[in-house]
Each structure stands twice: as structure tokens, then as C-alpha cells.
Amino acid sequence: MKILAIDTSCDDTSVAIIATEKPNSKQQLLKIKILSNVVSSQIKIHSPYGGVYPALAKREHQHNLAPVCKKALQKAKFLNLKVKTKNEKPQSKIKKLKTILNRDELLLETTEQFLLKYQKPKVNAIAITNTPGLEPCLWQGINFACALSLWWELPIIPVNHIKAHLAANWLTLTGASSKIKNQKSKLIKFPAIGLVASGGHTELIYMPEIGRYQLIGSTRDDAAGECFDKTARILGLPYPGGPSLALQAKLKIKNQKLKIKLPRPMINSGDFDFSFSGLKTAVLYNFQSQKKSVRESKDYKIAMAKEIQQAIIDVLVEKTLKAAQQFKAKSIITGGGVMANKELRRQLKIQNLELKIPFFVPKKSLCLDNAAMVGAESLLSNTKSKSWQKIKASGNLKL
Ligand code: KG4
Ligand code: ZN
């Protein structure tokens, strides 16, 4: 079973080809191999705005989808030029293609050229993120996926992006990372607790078995990644805020007298919900209360970065471990862009030592948005394919 997967939920355009030997397996030892996983980042474009600018992101997806798809097929060695035949332009298909892409001229042009030039690849299905995310962006990926589905006569599988972040753990287990040598002791056992911390989501998820997800807690306002991004912006650090703050937090402070204490919102709330907007406000008030010479100093930025990072880590670690204990989890799995944070990975691992619950985190590039995880999730959940006419984008559908 081979899947061509697409993700355009936010600002990255990604296409991947993944393969598995057990397409319908409900077993834990699902072997998923990444044949290619191409991500075209838009960080440079959105950086001046301090966040993702949806109209620009949409246009970039239109630009990037066909070239990124070509690259993914090429890397997987699935790209073959068409052999020229008399009927080079199947008019009825072109007509349908124009209906699917009638509002996206640029995407129509690049997709049509791509489909006319290359052969149908040896994949069995197309997986596409249809929720949650920025709707104009989701639609670009969906329309492109529908065009491929129509042209190549392949089934199309809608995938939830949050579930996909957790599915990334199965990619690390088998294909992407060879570091895990003793795979037997590293099986993901159930029930499991999943933590997804990204730019748009902070969610704790109970998984009674593979491919089944129950939301047990989520953020009531800002997501953890959003908090990193917004507080970095207050401090004048570049977008995306997570990596910028992490970099600052590693540096040493010269002025040891500079002490900053920020709140750990909802850390003892007794449930599994989160809230990060109060932390952002506390950063803003602290920043505004400082003299210009202090708030613009290197030391202030470092001290703030350390404390913001630690406040977010404290809340995420505490709630995840509490959930794991309460739900008698046999594994903890994690995902999402914030899990790329080295300090968070380290502290979650250390704090979990006492509980001795096997802990999993995808490798850094697979924590960030990518299409391989979307392909993995289409296999894990064993989601039924739909006809392309029925795939709709939904900005904020829950699990
Ligand atoms: O999962 P992701 O790539 O996209 C969404 O689905 O949102 O996550 C992006 C988020 C951004 O908010 C970014 O600041 C954060 O992940 N992030 C980090 C790190 N790398 C990315 N946060 C903390 N530390 C990092 N090293
Ligand atoms: Zn994401």
C-alpha cells in the first residue's frame, strides 16, 4: 500500500509518499516507511508580519503544490514522463479539472501542466488534511488532491491534522529513525495519552487503541505555540517565536540580579485544559513596566525567554503526566511544532522517569507540519475514502 499525502493546513506546503506492508493492520507494529517527505516552508514570507498572513499563504500554496508534488514523486522515484500518444489532451477530464479549480487560476495552470506531463504514479490512494487549519489554505490542498484523484482515478482519504501529529510517532518508530534499535521494548502500547502542542492547538488525547482518539483537554484560548510566537513578538524576536525564544533561552545572563517570575496558568486546575493568554498578558505587562534600557537589553530578552519557555514546559509536563497517571496510560506519545523544543523533550522525559511510562516523541522535522504524518494517520485510523466531491475543508473541527 502506497499513499501520496498532502498537507496545506497552515503555512507549509507539503507532499509525501509513504509505504506500508500492512494496510489494514490494527496491530501496534504497523510498519510505515517514508519514501519522500517534501516541505516547502513559507517562514521568510510571513516573517515581516510576525505571523501567518492567510491570503499570502493561500497564494503560496497555489504556487507550490504542483512543484512540491513533483519533487516528492521524484525523490520516491515515482516520477515518470508520459509516453506521447495521439490523444494527448483528454478533454472531458480537463473540463472537470476546470470545475474543481475554477477559482484558482494559478493552481489550475500548474496542475494541468503537471498532469499532462507525467504518468500516473504507483500509489493506491491520496490522503489530504481537511481539518483543522486555515480554511483558505486547506482548500488549496483539497482542490489539488481532488484534481489528482479525478485525473488518476484514485480514492481520496480526508485526514484530521491533530491526529496526524500523533501518527508521526509511528513514522519515527519504523522508517524515519533508525536510532531506536530495540524496537520490541519500544512498542507503543495502549491505552496511550497523546499530547499535541502546536501553533494552533494544545490538546491532550486519550487513545484506547490504535487509530482511536478521545479529546480529554484543550486550550481555552491561545495554543502553546501561539504563546511562544506572540511573546517573542513582544520582545522583538523574529517569527516563528518558538525557535527564537528557545535560542535565547540557551544563552547565559550576565546580570544575575535580573529575576523574572511568570504565572503557570491552570497548572493546578484539576482538569486537562490549558490557557496561555494570561501568560502572554503577563509578559506584555512586565515588558511595559521596564525601563527602555532594561527591556531592550540582551539580558532581559534572555531572562524572559528562559522564563516563558519554562512556564510553558511546566504546564505541559504537569498536565501530560497527570493525564497519563489518571488514565493508566501504557505509553505517552507527543507531537506538534512545540515538541521540537529540545528543553521540553528533555524535561518531559526526565519527569516521566519516575512513572516509567514509555515516552515517544517524533524526530524534530516530523514534529513540525509535514505530509508524511498525514499519510500515516490515514493508515492508522483506517479512514474510509470518499468521492472527491464530498471532501470539504473545515477550519476548526474537533477530533
Ligand atoms: O505543528 P506546527 O508546525 O504547525 C501547526 O500546526 O501549528 O507548529 C508550529 C508552532 C509555532 O508556533 C512555532 O513557534 C512552534 O511550533 N515551534 C516551537 C519550536 N519550533 C517550532 N516552539 C518551541 N520550541 C521550538 N523549538
Ligand atoms: Zn500542525
Side-chain angles (χ1 to χ4, degrees):
M1 178 87 163
K2 293 182 182 69
I3 305 239
L4 185 151
I6 303 167
D7 185 81
T8 57
S9 58
C10 193
D11 58 338
D12 292 322
T13 317
S14 181
V15 180
I17 316 288
I18 59 146
T20 180
E21 284 146 27
K22 295 183 178 176
N24 298 314
S25 172
K26 275 271 169 189
Q27 294 168 25
Q28 291 142 356
L29 236 181
L30 184 69
K31 288 205 173 184
I32 306 170
K33 235 175 124 180
I34 300 177
L35 304 183
S36 66
N37 192 16
V38 180
V39 182
S40 169
S41 164
Q42 299 181 10
I43 284 178
K44 274 193 191 145
I45 293 158
H46 299 287
S47 191
Y49 303 93
V52 179
Y53 194 87
L56 268 186
K58 175 184 164 178
R59 201 198 62 192
E60 280 308 297
H61 288 311
Q62 293 189 340
H63 248 293
N64 294 338
L65 270 161
V68 169
C69 185
K70 181 185 156 190
K71 211 167 167 183
L73 289 170
Q74 204 164 24
K75 282 199 165 179
K77 299 195 168 53
F78 279 20
L79 189 74
N80 294 302
L81 279 170
K82 257 194 185 151
V83 186
K84 293 215 166 175
T85 57
K86 272 185 195 160
N87 183 17
E88 270 175 52
K89 287 202 172 192
Q91 292 306 334
S92 71
K93 275 190 179 174
I94 291 182
K95 214 170 150 190
K96 275 191 191 157
L97 198 70
K98 285 184 176 156
T99 356
I100 297 173
L101 303 174
N102 67 343
R103 277 189 253 142
D104 317 307
E105 239 176 78
L106 182 60
L107 190 58
L108 172 65
E109 197 186 312
T110 50
T111 307
E112 190 180 340
Q113 278 171 11
F114 168 72
L115 290 171
L116 286 171
K117 194 166 175 186
Y118 298 103
Q119 284 178 31
K120 174 182 177 176
K122 287 187 188 116
V123 298
N124 307 81
I126 295 164
I128 174 72
T129 302
N130 73 321
T131 188
L134 297 170
E135 267 192 34
C137 297
L138 287 168
W139 272 118
Q140 298 315 304
I142 291 175
N143 289 342
F144 183 68
C146 288
L148 302 187
S149 161
L150 161 93
W151 199 273
W152 291 333
E153 289 158 18
L154 286 172
I156 181 165
I157 307 167
V159 169
N160 180 302
H161 183 86
I162 313 261
K163 295 178 184 175
H165 269 304
L166 290 181
N169 287 280
W170 276 266
L171 295 169
T172 306
L173 269 185
T174 53
S177 169
S178 54
K179 276 184 199 148
I180 301 163
K181 288 204 177 89
N182 185 1
Q183 287 209 358
K184 268 200 171 155
S185 65
K186 276 284 179 184
L187 275 183
I188 298 176
K189 292 191 181 137
F190 294 91
I193 283 292
L195 166 70
V196 177
S198 70
H201 297 270
T202 310
E203 258 141 45
L204 274 168
I205 293 152
Y206 174 68
M207 286 182 77
E209 60 181 74
I210 197 162
R212 279 190 58 209
Y213 307 82
Q214 289 167 19
L215 188 67
I216 57 167
S218 59
T219 183
R220 295 185 182 175
D221 39 59
D222 292 352
E226 198 176 352
C227 186
F228 270 113
D229 294 337
K230 288 179 175 171
T231 53
R233 201 174 170 183
I234 295 170
L235 298 176
L237 295 168
Y239 173 82
S244 298
L245 281 170
L247 209 69
Q248 288 288 316
K250 271 200 235 159
L251 304 175
K252 282 218 165 77
I253 306 172
K254 286 188 193 125
N255 177 5
Q256 292 299 334
K257 279 188 206 150
L258 193 62
K259 292 263 182 294
I260 296 165
K261 190 74 196 153
L262 294 170
R264 270 66 176 154
M266 290 184 70
I267 196 159
N268 294 314
S269 62
D271 57 18
F272 299 114
D273 281 347
F274 300 89
S275 163
F276 290 103
S277 79
L279 180 58
K280 171 193 68 192
T281 313
V283 171
L284 182 66
Y285 287 168
N286 188 295
F287 182 82
Q288 287 170 338
S289 70
Q290 304 287 348
K291 280 190 209 147
K292 199 166 181 264
S293 60
V294 174
R295 69 181 192 220
E296 284 179 0
S297 70
K298 274 187 190 165
D299 271 1
Y300 179 74
K301 283 183 186 164
I302 299 170
M304 259 297 194
K306 283 184 194 290
E307 182 61 7
I308 295 167
Q309 180 174 269
Q310 195 54 51
I312 295 174
I313 291 176
D314 284 348
V315 179
L316 292 178
V317 171
E318 175 76 18
K319 297 240 166 180
T320 306
L321 297 187
K322 265 202 183 136
Q325 273 177 298
Q326 191 166 316
F327 285 85
K328 299 192 167 44
K330 292 191 179 138
S331 318
I332 297 170
I333 62 174
T334 60
V338 176
M339 283 310 303
N341 188 287
K342 226 174 161 181
E343 202 45 36
L344 170 60
R345 296 160 83 101
R346 192 182 70 80
Q347 292 189 29
L348 195 47
K349 225 177 233 172
I350 289 176
Q351 300 257 4
N352 178 41
L353 275 182
E354 248 176 63
L355 296 182
K356 291 200 178 87
I357 303 172
F359 167 76
F360 298 83
V361 57
K363 69 174 193 172
K364 211 173 146 186
S365 59
L366 294 172
C367 285
L368 300 165
D369 284 352
N370 68 89
M373 68 182 197
V374 175
E377 169 49 24
S378 72
L379 293 168
L380 252 61
S381 282
N382 216 356
T383 318
K384 292 257 172 323
S385 59
K386 277 189 173 181
S387 69
W388 61 264
Q389 292 93 333
K390 287 196 175 146
I391 311 269
K392 299 265 174 288
S394 175
N396 47 20
L397 205 70
K398 289 258 152 107
L399 281 184

